[in-house]
Amino acid sequence: MNSQVKILAIESSCDDTSAAILVDGKILSNEVAGQEVHERYGGVVPELASRAHQQHIVPVVQAALNQAGIGVEDLSAIAYTQGPGLMGSLLVGGSFAKGLSIAQKIPLIGVHHMDAHVMAHFIDDPKPEFPFLCLVVSGGHTQLVRMDSPASMEIIGATRDDAAGEAFDKSAKLLGLPYPGGPLIDRYAKDGNPEKFQFSTSRMPGFDFSFSGLKTSILYFVQEQQSKNPQFVEENRNDLCASIQETIVSYLLKNLEAAALTLGIQHIGIAGGVSANSQLRERLQSLADTKRWKAYIPRFEYCTDNAAMIAISAYYKFKNGEFGKLDEKPFAR
Ligand code: KG4
Ligand code: ZN
């Protein structure tokens, strides 16, 4: 009898179709198909996203199986992102997983997308020690999560309006950059002066965040400057990107540091798409070095949406006997 745990995981919550294979806690493959179709619209178009998932899902799953040298008949379970996310996108991955669960007579494991971003820290070694405080920053969420075990996560702070990724993407749009603008801001910021422009952020109660004021402050500033000099954005693109990035990263880390100090937590990390940001990664490490804390930064490919994080979350659930049901519906949030 083969006693290895072999999980196929699928992630399709937004605009990336991803499939991964995990064997006994190790990721053997993690295939991702992105969707360039949204670039010209300045954001993800839900209808186009679900259509592209339909097109990508079978080849992506096949590629993940081939890469790992595993056949569907070898699988112990099938995991998928149960939400939150775009409904049409979630339905493609969810229905595929349920179909495979019926066909192969294997258990189904539904995974919460945001929990999975935190669980990405448990793919590689060293794994975080508990209590672990993780700043989860993506295109749809901004949360400070306290984790006391893989089964115990508590949101101790969250955004009241836009997510950090949205703040990057909307700022980029104001500078005329295509979607998703976060990685482009990161790139241009490398040649810019982060002190050149100052933008305001709002202090929120507790460990909450708010990004809507920042967006307005950038909008008004850019409009005013452009009215005096129509070339303002082109001439100052690198400095604008560096200053916007500096504002967002400092704001995020200030809150993380305050929460860690208040709760007495010395193991801190970042997760989600925005944790791919080079400045955020560097600054988290130097914060930890200064305080003699331990920083955990996921490998680049495990920051943005990926099925490896769904697979590792499912592995812990599998060991706990936590399985899903064929009639379960997507998590709304
Ligand atoms: O986690 P993710 O891939 O998808 C969601 O669950 O939303 O996060 C996507 C977000 C986008 O807003 C994107 O602009 C941002 O992550 N992002 C970045 C960088 N790479 C991705 N933001 C800033 N700097 C980056 N290098
Ligand atoms: Zn995500």
Side-chain angles (χ1 to χ4, degrees):
M1 195 188 103
N2 188 346
S3 57
Q4 280 186 320
V5 178
K6 296 178 179 167
I7 297 176
L8 163 65
I10 291 166
E11 151 63 29
S12 72
S13 63
C14 190
D15 59 340
D16 291 313
T17 318
S18 181
I21 297 290
L22 169 148
V23 175
D24 280 350
K26 296 269 168 293
I27 298 295
L28 298 195
S29 62
N30 180 42
E31 296 289 321
V32 184
Q35 303 181 356
E36 275 144 30
V37 62
H38 309 286
E39 269 173 28
R40 75 187 103 128
Y41 298 101
V44 176
V45 184
E47 172 72 13
L48 296 178
S50 13
R51 284 168 187 266
H53 281 304
Q54 283 284 7
Q55 197 186 347
H56 293 158
I57 191 143
V58 172
V60 166
V61 167
Q62 199 57 62
L65 287 164
N66 291 349
Q67 171 77 23
I70 299 252
V72 274
E73 64 286 352
D74 301 323
L75 296 173
S76 328
I78 166 95
Y80 75 104
T81 302
Q82 201 179 337
L86 299 173
M87 189 53 72
S89 295
L90 290 169
L91 284 175
V92 177
S95 303
F96 185 94
K98 288 177 181 181
L100 203 64
S101 162
I102 295 170
Q104 296 301 125
K105 299 187 177 58
I106 49 174
L108 178 73
I109 305 177
V111 172
H112 192 285
H113 182 83
M114 299 313 292
D115 290 356
H117 272 303
V118 180
M119 288 299 293
H121 285 284
F122 293 80
I123 295 174
D124 291 326
D125 288 324
K127 301 182 186 356
E129 283 178 36
F130 302 117
F132 173 51
L133 186 64
C134 190
L135 172 72
V136 195
V137 272
S138 72
H141 293 78
T142 297
Q143 298 174 342
L144 265 176
V145 176
R146 180 198 167 116
M147 190 177 185
D148 288 288
S149 78
S152 161
M153 293 195 212
E154 184 194 355
I155 300 169
I156 60 158
T159 182
R160 303 271 179 116
D161 39 60
D162 288 350
E166 267 178 296
F168 270 106
D169 296 337
K170 288 180 178 174
S171 306
K173 202 173 172 183
L174 293 175
L175 305 184
L177 300 174
Y179 177 86
L184 295 171
I185 292 197
D186 193 350
R187 195 188 311 156
Y188 292 124
K190 289 192 198 311
D191 300 316
N193 172 8
E195 319 264 281
K196 179 86 177 275
F197 306 110
Q198 262 77 50
F199 301 108
S200 55
T201 47
S202 328
R203 229 188 109 45
M204 288 286 120
F207 305 121
D208 281 355
F209 303 86
S210 165
F211 287 99
S212 59
L214 170 67
K215 188 180 58 193
T216 315
S217 132
I218 296 170
L219 174 69
Y220 288 165
F221 176 74
V222 168
Q223 278 178 345
E224 194 193 331
Q225 299 301 317
Q226 290 272 84
S227 68
K228 292 185 249 170
N229 168 16
Q231 303 306 315
F232 175 77
V233 169
E234 286 71 42
E235 288 170 7
N236 293 278
R237 191 175 57 191
N238 295 345
D239 292 340
L240 280 165
C241 287
S243 302
I244 291 168
Q245 177 172 273
E246 162 68 25
T247 309
I248 298 175
V249 168
S250 299
Y251 182 56
L252 290 170
L253 289 181
K254 215 167 146 192
N255 225 354
L256 173 67
E257 181 182 348
L261 286 170
T262 307
L263 301 172
I265 297 180
Q266 299 184 348
H267 295 264
I268 58 170
I270 48 177
V274 179
S275 65
N277 183 267
S278 57
Q279 187 67 13
L280 181 60
R281 295 166 84 88
E282 272 171 35
R283 295 267 300 278
L284 180 87
Q285 190 59 59
S286 48
L287 168 67
D289 291 346
T290 314
K291 299 276 182 197
R292 295 175 185 273
W293 295 344
K294 176 98 179 79
Y296 298 87
I297 301 171
R299 227 197 282 177
F300 204 74
E301 62 264 42
Y302 300 146
C303 291
T304 45
D305 288 347
N306 67 89
M309 68 184 193
I310 305 300
I312 195 76
S313 307
Y315 178 61
Y316 282 86
K317 283 177 180 276
F318 186 97
K319 289 197 294 182
N320 264 347
E322 286 176 53
F323 300 114
K325 296 197 183 102
L326 288 172
D327 64 353
E328 67 195 9
K329 58 181 185 191
F331 296 130
R333 37 181 278 144

